[in-house]
Amino acid sequence: MKSGTDRISGFPVEPWKITETEYIPEALEKNATIFFLGNGYMGIRGGREEADGSDGASHKGLFVNGFYETAPQIYGESAFGFPDKKQAMLNLPDQTDICFYVNADRFSLCDGEILSYSRTLDLSEGLLLRDIKWRSPSGIIVEYKSTRCVSLVRPHCAVLSVQVRLSESHADIRLVSKSWLKTVSHREDKSDPRTGAGFRHQPLELQDVKDEGSSMSAEFKTLNSGLVFACAAGHQTDENLEFLSCVKGDNSIDFTFTGTGISGFKIDRFITCCTSTDVDKSSPLIRAEKELEDIQNEGADRIISEHREHVAGFWERSDLQIEGDDSLQQGIRFNLFSVYQSAGRDGRRNIAAKGLSGEGYEGHYFWDTEIYVLPFMFYTNPGIAGKLLEYRYSILDAARARAEIMNESGALFPWRTINGEEASAYFPAGTAQYHINADIAYGVQKYVEVSADYDFLITCGAEILFETARMWMSLGFFSPEGDSFFINGVTGPDEYTAIVNNNFFTNIMAANNLEYAVITADFLQKTESGKLGQLRERLKLKVSEIDAWRRAFENMYLPYNAELGIYRQDDAFLLKEIWDFNTTPEDKYPLLLHFHPLVIYRHQVLKQPDVVLAEFLLGNRFPPEQKKRDFDYYNAITTGDSSLAPCVQSIMASELGYSDLAYDYFIKTARMDLDDVNGNVSDGVHIAAMGGTWLSIVCGFAGMRDYNGFLSFNPAIPKRWKSLSFHLKKEAEVLGLRLSQAETEYELLEGFSITFSHKGEEFRLKSGESVVIKN
Ligand code: BGC
């Protein structure tokens, strides 16, 4: 007999599917996350159509990426510069509610008898499918099938198709499809800072609502942020159902359909959403209505088939195929697809820490984007990478304003945000993470290097680089002798150590930010001097400032301990007592939920890699022995309490030849959400770790590095895998790789030519050529 926990977490191993094979009420909340669908613009949690929340088992969710409400941020004790507003992605009025009665019995999995059950996320098609056989209390057998599609082709549209067959050929059906007119569900847990935040007020005000036949449209405005959300819904049924009525109440519009003496029916529900945050500034309501008209004209089958084609294209570019481990294969595909579904694509929105799967971390955008998600996008879907960075450019003015509040020049990007304003209420692990500036600059640099999108560099990138460079110059300072540049009072990526002087990660990444700003200025001087001149004039940027950037990165101070031969995480890190891991029981992790921050800050203990991460990102600046010493020291005191940790640990363990360790960390990342490793999937998936899966494979096991625009590989795939295959897009070239235990095959699938190195030896492939190299 399986234990309850096993039943809750178990999905059968299938390389292209995630299937819930049993109806388990305790797993519904978690699985509403796992079964979310999204298209970068909107997302729908996997709530069940027939559940109106009365069984309390799971909360539904309809989100528009970056659509938020604000409320005053309440502090027990405030201080200057603390963000005065909280922002949270809103859970919008649900449009997926469909319930029906067979004679007098309501279709509900809480009553009657479930004869067979499956709910499947089909990753190859990007669809959520339910297939249930149920006996009603009065003995009628109902075969229920539903297909849910959040269109990856049409960002504002979703379709829900329900098909029912009955054992009784003369049953009476009453079906109610509901459009909610208010937000109905929010999830918040005050004891855990990682969950979402509810609002004390009803955040949406209904402005306008229309209904015509079996269609509706409504427009809402958020009370505080002043944003407009419009949705529309419509239905198409087969001849067995007849539209009876539309009843508008205060909270919902109920569309009722009936069928008399029938043996089954089909109903398609069409849903559209538009907002004032869209690029198109025309009326969201009119656009939502127009989108609805368009998709209804196309019909559900066409919408679903064009979506399928799109998903096939995604896999063609992005799949990572593993022969020899279906369980990991399943985890990886789930991760890659979740990231793809969550990433904004219009330059107006980004990718939230929990994607479009839940309200955890309030829908905020963090450094997770640039460091953990963008690499996957650079090499598979570079257009999306460019748009995610364009979003950063769109909040540059807000970042300038934040720098001013923080007494700095240039721009300081918010640690966490939706609208560009800083939203971190706990500054030691929020605002103090100035490294966000360097992370975004790093993202710009890598994007330009991989995709050669120089237009982006000229129109957006250079300004980001110059303004972030300016911030470092005002935050840091030169030693009296002028031979060291210091940066004090910051927090690095490791949030178990806060507000320190000369955090190694921050300093080296700031140096890289400054250096790349200088390189960019030099490059534009040579190639686009006119445009550079205009930009410098607009920013009032003097040549002397650029000279100072050069001096700062050349003299950046990096704390080192000669005795141990390791970089110090910050000036004082090694002076602290080492955390007593031996006497800390398992149930005291994550430490952040069991110890006051001060207790943690006083010790050498890491939530996530800091020095080790820097030595991955900027690995060509450090010799292997140095990386090994640093890894050995810091890995031993890293708890991995952050979901962002294991992928980095895995990559560096791979690089250093610790292959078993690399594999162990990799497993944690690859199936983190499917197995609910951290126990908090109900709040949403862990997007950074999902992007990190791609990094662990491509940069870890395939040993890919891309420094100064040159690709190199150092493959060593896990012993239990037969092979690993994937594609990488670099500028106009697409390189196909197939790695086995014995050899590695490289093939140039698109483009003219590519040069790369394999274990230090250089190769050049021309169009259509391939090479097989013995390992
Ligand atoms: C991590 C941060 C991360 C945030 C959102 C925190 O637990 O420590 O590095 O940005 O989660 O994913």
Side-chain angles (χ1 to χ4, degrees), residues 271-487:
I271 302 160
T272 65
C273 300
C274 293
T275 71
S276 57
T277 65
D278 302 348
V279 179
D280 186 339
K281 287 283 158 233
S282 62
S283 153
L285 184 63
I286 293 176
R287 281 188 286 121
E289 288 167 354
K290 175 80 179 69
E291 294 274 359
L292 181 66
E293 192 186 321
D294 289 351
I295 54 173
Q296 285 196 304
N297 285 340
E298 293 287 348
D301 290 350
R302 172 79 201 122
I303 298 300
I304 292 172
S305 74
E306 67 181 21
H307 168 81
R308 277 200 191 109
E309 262 171 57
H310 180 102
V311 175
F314 164 73
W315 288 118
E316 178 76 31
R317 297 186 298 279
S318 325
D319 196 17
L320 286 167
Q321 286 163 298
I322 294 176
E323 248 188 304
D325 198 329
D326 283 350
S327 153
L328 286 176
Q329 178 72 80
Q330 181 182 36
I332 291 157
R333 290 201 173 120
F334 174 68
N335 292 354
L336 298 184
F337 192 58
S338 297
V339 171
Y340 186 66
Q341 291 192 101
S342 298
R345 289 136 158 84
D346 64 359
R348 297 295 171 97
R349 52 210 95 238
N350 207 265
I351 182 163
K354 303 282 183 187
L356 289 168
S357 68
E359 293 138 275
Y361 283 122
E362 300 167 301
H364 290 172
Y365 313 136
F366 292 76
W367 71 314
D368 306 29
T369 304
E370 278 73 16
I371 302 301
Y372 293 83
V373 170
L374 280 187
F376 162 58
M377 293 294 181
F378 294 152
Y379 296 98
T380 56
N381 297 277
I384 295 181
K387 288 294 178 189
L388 290 169
L389 288 167
E390 205 178 301
Y391 160 81
R392 293 296 192 188
Y393 184 72
S394 80
I395 61 165
L396 190 54
D397 277 342
R400 288 188 178 104
R402 183 66 183 159
E404 210 176 314
I405 293 172
M406 296 302 292
N407 225 19
E408 308 301 349
S409 312
L412 172 58
F413 280 98
W415 171 244
R416 55 190 289 177
T417 190
I418 295 174
N419 66 5
E421 288 166 20
E422 178 62 271
S424 62
Y426 180 63
F427 73 89
T431 297
Q433 297 202 50
Y434 286 80
H435 67 86
I436 179 82
N437 256 26
D439 306 329
I440 292 172
Y442 181 85
V444 169
Q445 173 186 2
K446 287 285 157 191
Y447 172 62
V448 173
E449 283 175 5
V450 180
S451 68
D453 185 352
Y454 294 106
D455 279 352
F456 173 82
L457 185 65
I458 295 161
T459 53
C460 308
E463 198 171 333
I464 294 178
L465 293 166
F466 298 164
E467 291 290 63
T468 46
R470 273 179 156 165
M471 197 287 299
W472 293 118
M473 295 311 291
S474 75
L475 178 68
F477 62 100
F478 284 103
S479 59
E481 302 74 30
D483 58 356
S484 291
F485 191 81
F486 300 120
I487 300 174

Side-chain angles (χ1 to χ4, degrees), residues 194 353 361 366-368 372 415 433 493 495 592 607-608 641-644 688:
R194 300 164 302 178
Y361 283 122
F366 292 76
W367 71 314
D368 306 29
Y372 293 83
W415 171 244
Q433 297 202 50
E495 292 180 353
L592 67 101
K607 184 177 178 195
Q608 61 208 94
D641 282 353
S642 165
S643 62
L644 283 65

